[in-house]
Amino acid sequence: MEGSVQSESQLTESAYRTSNGQNGDRLAAIHHEIEYLNTIGKRFVAAFDRFQVHHALLAALQELYSFSACCILLKGDPFELSIIPSYPLSPSFLEAMIQRIASAASVIDFPHIDAEQLAKTAYLDAPDELAFPRPGHATSGPEIGSCLNIPLTVENRIIGMLSLFDEKQGTFDTHLLQMTTMIADYAAVALENVRLRERENALWRQAELERQRLKLIIRSMAEGLLITDAKGTIVSLNQSAQQLLAQAQTDFSAGIPLYQLMETSSVPWLPRLTEIVNQALAGKTVTNQEIVVGFSGETVPLTLSISAAPLLDSSGVRPKPIGVVAVLNDVTSVKQVERLKDEFVSVVSHELRTPLTAIKGYTQHLVRRIERRLRKIRNAQPEAEVPVAELPESYDLRSLNIIQSQTEHLERLVSDLLDLSQVQAGHLDLSYEDFYLADLLAESVRSVQASAEQHTIELDLQVPDTKIRADRVRLGQVIGNILDNAIKYSPQGGQVIVRLQEQKGYYTVSVIDQGIGVSPEHFDHIFERFYRIHNTASHQYAGIGLGLFVAKAIVDGHGGHIWFTNNQGVGSTFHFTIPIRPRTTRPLSL
Ligand code: ADP
């Protein structure tokens, strides 16, 4: 900033005083005043930053008085104090000014201001020769002779304070107070404008920085990103999306509406992508929709998992979709691993099944033989000294029954594993046959009971007839899985009840146990694949988390329903319903 300011209006202090007061013509005075205000108004309007405002303020005030320094205190966090000297000031004068400003400010509108704090935030807005006078150069005296403080207000809001100081006494005439206040008002508005402009610039810079950062993230993302407008026209594709879609041998580029691409190209998966985009445009968020975009000849074709969300314009009363952001993820390698895993599980399960069938067959054979032998002994010596139950054959029979029960348990596990891929593919084959559900329940109870010595399993049949048409083997798997759990998750032993009821064309089977029960946070999940409850207590229970998943798939496949409830006292009850006659879920084509 310049040290002294030339008046653009050529209006000197004395000229102003002459025209304004003593013997001058009133009209001339008004004319001068208008000219003066116009000139300083222009300077304030032209000021682009706070230094230019200070410059304009100093120039305007120097038209009125000659003073030592002008100070501007601005509210803020922290508040700022600018000191604009007219000539070099002595340190003690500076100190005295700050003391005065602190006490005047606390009276005006700054309740907790303190001189020491203020000194830290103060800065000199002056050329070097005024700020750091050479040794021997004249500086102001130490004392303040006169002082004037005026609040800086914008729309009745105090934004700061203007303070003028001079070494001499009586510098600030009261008859110029009105004019000085007017200048302070101009300065306040100009300073507020500068502050707003600075804030706006900072916001712009911040927004630009964010934009650049976002651009970089999008460009370096491994996921493909596709953005459309409200009509489904692709407006932007990142590099990954371009590469992914190029692999699918499709010429995708920005500016083409998807529906138009669909019409002109024979890419079979385009309608699905268009559908996902349309769903998002309708306001729905679509997650992880898989699309096979590769060739069908490949073992594992290129597969994309697509998630899409609407871009919403929230400026109106109701948010309006103005486009879609879709994220494309290449999940081919995941599919490859899944496929290998499924193949492995399927091969291993098949391999396990063959020896299991043999073990089961031979055990059954041995059981029959021992039963026959025991019958013979009983018939030959009805009054024998040793009771039949204590004969070595009876012990063998009990051991064989346990082997048989455990083999059946193992068989169910293998079946669950084998069924997994079928269930996932959504086609579980069911072989319907007629049989009595009561017989199947009794068989299952007998099998599980054989290796559950601490438990008593009771069969409670509440229906006279139990004939059903369903997949016997698979229903056996469902009952077996639920019963296995009832035993496994009631380690203290106790009673398990298997109840059969009938209602409106359905049988309902309920398995009631007295075990550990299920805490509410797992209610929604325990029928999910591989879902197991992990807590310290559950570590002792072996399992793979497939039993209920497969049971649900089999029950659903029959058109039934499976659920569970926690018992009032202790334990839980698993229920499932099965239609007595198979139900057609396909629409009738007459
Ligand atoms: P798992 O092989 O773990 O038994 P399931 O699919 O049969 O797998 O069961 C899933 C989970 O549900 C189990 O890990 C267990 O935590 C819980 N669960 C199933 N049945 C019962 C039950 N009768 N009582 C308590 N928790 C059970």
Side-chain angles (χ1 to χ4, degrees):
M1 194 182 133
E2 290 158 33
S4 66
V5 180
Q6 289 296 315
S7 159
E8 283 170 26
S9 65
Q10 300 300 308
L11 188 80
T12 62
E13 186 189 348
S14 57
Y16 179 79
R17 281 169 192 260
T18 310
S19 61
N20 192 32
Q22 294 140 18
N23 44 12
D25 172 5
R26 190 165 161 64
L27 268 178
I30 292 173
H31 175 77
H32 272 97
E33 200 166 307
I34 290 173
E35 201 182 320
Y36 170 71
L37 288 175
N38 192 22
T39 309
I40 59 166
K42 274 187 199 160
R43 283 193 201 140
F44 280 120
V45 169
F48 198 74
D49 59 25
R50 64 176 68 191
F51 302 107
Q52 288 181 12
V53 177
H54 293 172
H55 187 146
L57 179 63
L58 195 65
L61 292 170
Q62 280 174 340
E63 303 274 4
L64 305 183
Y65 321 98
S66 94
F67 48 83
S68 309
C70 152
C71 301
I72 298 159
L73 178 68
L74 281 184
K75 262 187 177 177
D77 188 19
F79 34 78
E80 284 172 23
L81 175 64
S82 314
I83 300 173
I84 312 155
S86 302
Y87 49 83
L89 302 173
S90 69
S92 41
F93 192 88
L94 273 169
E95 205 176 304
M97 275 196 323
I98 292 175
Q99 287 284 355
R100 292 276 190 102
I101 292 171
S103 42
S106 56
V107 176
I108 292 186
D109 198 37
F110 302 81
H112 306 297
I113 207 155
D114 142 301
E116 216 174 297
Q117 221 178 339
L118 199 57
K120 282 189 198 142
T121 62
Y123 72 93
L124 272 179
D125 179 8
D128 283 356
E129 64 270 23
L130 294 193
F132 313 105
R134 260 170 277 121
H137 201 279
T139 55
S140 72
E143 301 277 319
I144 294 173
S146 38
C147 160
L148 177 66
N149 295 305
I150 299 174
L152 293 170
T153 57
V154 176
E155 291 171 350
N156 293 330
R157 189 166 43 86
I158 297 181
I159 64 155
M161 185 177 78
L162 166 71
S163 306
L164 299 176
F165 295 95
D166 196 32
E167 290 176 273
K168 296 185 293 301
Q169 291 189 346
T171 303
F172 306 109
D173 262 352
T174 42
H175 72 271
L176 286 179
L177 198 60
Q178 203 184 353
M179 184 64 75
T180 318
T181 308
M182 216 180 276
I183 294 168
D185 285 346
Y186 274 142
V189 171
L191 284 168
E192 185 70 351
N193 282 344
V194 165
R195 206 176 55 81
L196 289 176
R197 203 176 305 132
E198 277 172 359
R199 195 190 295 167
E200 195 180 321
N201 285 346
L203 285 175
W204 268 110
R205 274 197 301 277
Q206 180 75 14
E208 181 57 21
L209 211 71
E210 284 300 322
R211 205 178 70 85
Q212 292 296 342
R213 191 179 307 162
L214 215 62
K215 216 168 142 187
L216 208 71
I217 293 173
I218 290 174
R219 198 181 303 152
S220 53
M221 262 170 77
E223 290 85 6
L225 197 77
L226 183 148
I227 300 173
T228 76
D229 65 9
K231 289 185 186 142
T233 301
I234 300 172
V235 288
S236 166
L237 279 168
N238 74 348
Q239 228 166 348
S240 302
Q242 278 170 10
Q243 279 163 4
L244 280 176
L245 298 171
Q247 277 184 64
Q249 310 211 324
T250 310
D251 181 23
F252 267 94
S253 42
I256 309 175
L258 278 175
Y259 67 87
Q260 193 178 316
L261 260 178
M262 229 166 71
E263 282 163 14
T264 53
S265 132
S266 58
V267 180
W269 49 269
L270 251 180
R272 182 77 191 104
L273 178 66
T274 313
E275 193 187 317
I276 291 172
V277 168
N278 285 343
Q279 278 177 5
L281 278 177
K284 215 175 130 194
T285 301
V286 186
T287 42
N288 299 330
Q289 293 293 311
E290 278 178 15
I291 304 186
V292 176
V293 301
F295 297 113
S296 51
E298 297 159 18
T299 28
V300 179
L302 178 64
T303 310
L304 297 184
S305 166
I306 302 186
S307 300
L311 266 174
L312 296 174
D313 172 9
S314 307
S315 57
V317 189
R318 219 182 275 163
K320 192 173 81 187
I322 50 165
V324 167
V325 179
V327 178
L328 320 179
N329 246 315
D330 181 357
V331 289
T332 316
S333 50
V334 178
K335 293 275 138 198
Q336 241 152 0
V337 173
E338 266 177 20
R339 195 192 167 100
L340 281 175
K341 193 190 72 195
D342 287 351
E343 274 172 13
F344 174 77
V345 168
S346 165
V347 168
V348 171
S349 322
H350 268 295
E351 290 302 315
L352 285 174
R353 203 167 231 192
T354 322
L356 268 179
T357 316
I359 295 171
K360 200 176 159 192
Y362 284 110
T363 319
Q364 229 160 28
H365 173 72
L366 285 174
V367 165
R368 280 201 203 108
R369 265 180 60 173
I370 294 179
E371 277 176 349
R372 259 202 310 274
R373 200 177 306 155
L374 278 172
R375 254 197 313 277
K376 258 191 208 159
I377 295 171
R378 210 180 293 126
N379 292 343
Q381 322 164 324
E383 304 296 325
E385 275 174 30
V386 185
V388 176
E390 285 175 24
L391 290 172
E393 284 84 351
S394 294
Y395 284 111
D396 291 348
L397 184 63
R398 279 198 287 278
S399 305
L400 281 171
N401 277 336
I402 292 176
I403 295 175
Q404 204 172 27
S405 157
Q406 290 299 319
T407 315
E408 278 162 7
H409 174 69
L410 208 58
E411 238 187 347
R412 277 195 293 279
L413 270 178
V414 171
S415 302
D416 287 348
L417 280 171
L418 271 172
D419 288 345
L420 181 63
S421 47
Q422 270 197 42
V423 173
Q424 281 180 169
H427 51 75
L428 191 68
D429 295 330
L430 297 175
S431 318
Y432 283 89
E433 58 181 303
D434 292 316
F435 63 95
Y436 288 97
L437 190 51
D439 291 348
L440 181 67
L441 291 176
E443 250 173 56
S444 307
V445 167
R446 190 182 36 73
S447 162
V448 176
Q449 180 73 81
S451 50
E453 283 178 358
Q454 287 181 306
H455 297 80
T456 322
I457 312 178
E458 190 189 305
L459 188 56
D460 175 18
L461 301 174
Q462 299 192 351
V463 286
D465 182 20
T466 66
K467 209 164 176 198
I468 188 170
R469 186 167 176 75
D471 187 322
R472 193 179 198 280
V473 177
R474 292 209 192 274
L475 273 198
Q477 207 173 323
V478 174
I479 299 158
N481 284 353
I482 295 178
L483 259 180
D484 281 345
N485 282 348
I487 300 297
K488 187 164 58 173
Y489 297 109
S490 49
Q492 318 298 343
Q495 196 182 36
V496 174
I497 301 170
V498 179
R499 182 166 294 151
L500 178 64
Q501 291 163 305
E502 184 199 329
Q503 203 183 20
K504 294 182 185 158
Y506 285 83
Y507 286 127
T508 305
V509 178
S510 308
V511 178
I512 307 152
D513 67 44
Q514 297 174 334
I516 58 171
V518 181
S519 48
E521 67 268 30
H522 303 289
F523 282 10
D524 292 340
H525 303 289
I526 67 170
F527 291 101
E528 287 170 11
R529 185 173 70 133
F530 296 126
Y531 191 83
R532 304 208 67 222
I533 298 174
H534 288 288
N535 55 38
T536 38
S538 69
H539 284 309
Q540 52 187 307
Y541 309 113
I544 51 174
L546 270 187
L548 291 181
F549 174 72
V550 171
K552 180 173 177 352
I554 296 172
V555 170
D556 287 351
H558 278 86
H561 179 51
I562 187 166
W563 74 103
F564 79 97
T565 47
N566 268 341
N567 299 341
Q568 281 296 337
V570 67
S572 44
T573 302
F574 281 77
H575 315 261
F576 69 90
T577 57
I578 289 287
I580 296 174
R581 300 266 108 210
R583 302 181 79 84
T584 310
T585 47
R586 272 174 285 128
L588 274 181
S589 46
L590 295 171

